[in-house]
Amino acid sequence: MSKVVFNMTVSLDGFVAGPNDSPENGLGDGGDALFHWYFSGDTEISVGSGSPLLKVSPQSAEILKASIATYGAGVWGRRTFDIAGAWGGHPPGSPAFIVTHHVPQEWAYAGSPFTFVTDGVDSAIRQAKEAAGGRDVVVCTASILQQCLNAGLMDEIHVDVAPLLLGKGVRLFDHLNIKPIELERIRVVEAPGVTHLGFRLVKERQS
Ligand SMILES: NC(=O)c1ccc[n+]([C@@H]2O[C@H](COP(=O)([O-])OP(=O)(O)OC[C@H]3O[C@@H](n4cnc5c(N)ncnc54)[C@H](OP(=O)(O)O)[C@@H]3O)[C@@H](O)[C@H]2O)c1
């Protein structure tokens, strides 16, 4: 059954980007260090022609390949879409669903690599699941994770923890309105420059 899986790189103090992020300063002040692990190994991985070729350690490569193989669709927020320059039209996961209040008309055409969702994360996740054909839906932005958690839509949280304290910036776990959620740890992998952690949300069975 299709799962909704979150995956991003985070600093030890819980930031996915430093302050002042923008298209010219993608990961914000000091945030580039979050992605050092993507470019400091010797195993090459491509995640789409709109993203740079990754060079990671063998341990990280194994995890990335296994994860990518399970993804059938991806959901992002509009800020990441804009900051990434729409990945030049080649999103790192497809089909790609972008949650936004305003559809960018230059990308709204038949055959566009993007589906813009203006009626919220429930709708985005539902559409992505339909498109994923039984594979998983990956969520790759903080604001969408938070809304999915608030709505009870998330199944797994995977974080690649970079050995870095950013102090300020874009918080991963912000704006939460949840009851405590028990997590089952399903992965811990130490790799050069990063620690890969995976958790499954323990959900109460419906009676
Ligand atoms: N560390 C990593 O692995 C990693 C990976 C990717 C990105 N990043 C960074 O993460 C940062 C962006 O993340 P973010 O969480 O701040 O923003 P985001 O999720 O990418 O985008 C937020 C925007 O999406 C739209 N949106 C979100 N929920 C919506 C809803 N329910 N209905 C309609 N529109 C909605 C809104 O934009 P509009 O109102 O304009 O439509 C909102 O401002 C950037 O700095 C990026 O570089 C880090």
Side-chain angles (χ1 to χ4, degrees):
M1 201 178 81
S2 180
K3 289 178 294 184
V4 183
V5 176
F6 170 80
N7 193 188
M8 275 176 100
T9 300
V10 63
S11 65
L12 183 62
D13 54 344
F15 294 93
V16 295
N20 305 313
D21 57 340
S22 69
E24 296 73 37
N25 187 26
L27 288 169
D29 298 346
D32 284 354
L34 286 166
F35 281 4
H36 278 172
W37 69 277
Y38 275 135
F39 303 104
S40 50
D42 50 16
T43 306
E44 294 187 346
I45 293 202
S46 169
V47 290
S49 55
S51 302
L53 188 68
L54 307 182
K55 295 186 81 174
V56 300
S57 68
Q59 300 96 311
S60 293
E62 197 175 319
I63 285 179
L64 285 173
K65 282 181 193 160
S67 300
I68 290 166
T70 67
Y71 299 155
V75 180
W76 288 266
R78 177 65 186 272
R79 290 193 66 235
T80 296
F81 171 86
D82 286 342
I83 283 172
W87 301 277
H90 302 279
S94 62
F97 294 81
I98 312 300
V99 187
T100 183
H101 291 98
H102 309 283
V103 175
Q105 292 307 318
E106 68 274 27
W107 289 106
Y109 54 84
S112 168
F114 304 106
T115 299
F116 297 96
V117 181
T118 55
D119 54 352
V121 292
D122 289 77
S123 173
I125 296 295
R126 183 175 38 74
Q127 293 183 53
K129 276 190 169 181
E130 283 168 13
R135 294 203 287 159
D136 292 344
V137 171
V138 64
V139 168
C140 299
T141 71
S143 84
I144 304 300
L145 166 72
Q146 294 152 18
Q147 294 175 70
C148 284
L149 285 171
N150 289 340
L153 295 171
M154 191 59 59
D155 295 306
E156 292 181 7
I157 296 175
H158 293 259
V159 284
D160 306 311
V161 182
L164 169 74
L165 297 173
L166 276 171
K168 49 190 159 183
V170 180
R171 287 186 189 280
L172 178 54
F173 295 112
D174 211 355
H175 310 296
L176 291 186
N177 179 22
I178 56 171
K179 291 182 180 161
I181 299 173
E182 195 181 326
L183 303 174
E184 176 191 357
R185 194 182 62 194
I186 53 177
R187 181 163 77 194
V188 181
V189 175
E190 277 184 61
V194 64
T195 307
H196 303 283
L197 301 177
F199 300 90
R200 188 177 68 80
L201 278 73
V202 178
K203 298 184 181 178
E204 289 173 20
R205 287 178 201 279
Q206 304 292 317
S207 55

